[in-house]
Amino acid sequence: MILSVSAAVLLGVVVFLFFRKDGLKVSHALVCALFGFYLAGTAIAPSIKAGGASLASLLGGIKL
């Protein structure tokens, strides 16, 4: 749960920065958000969630 909330916040910040700095249009951001909502309801959603968790654990294991 914490990972999904932090990932959503991170992606929200990235979208905001693209909107402010790189000229992302509001319509593009809405299409991306709708795509995410529809993708979450498909059969591939558990695989995407598992891949995100795997990536997070991989990045969490890196020691600098």
Side-chain angles (χ1 to χ4, degrees), residues 18-41:
F18 281 156
F19 178 70
R20 296 291 291 167
K21 300 291 182 186
D22 292 335
L24 178 71
K25 295 180 182 176
V26 175
S27 61
H28 296 151
L30 289 175
V31 168
C32 290
L34 286 174
F35 178 68
F37 283 117
Y38 284 119
L39 189 63

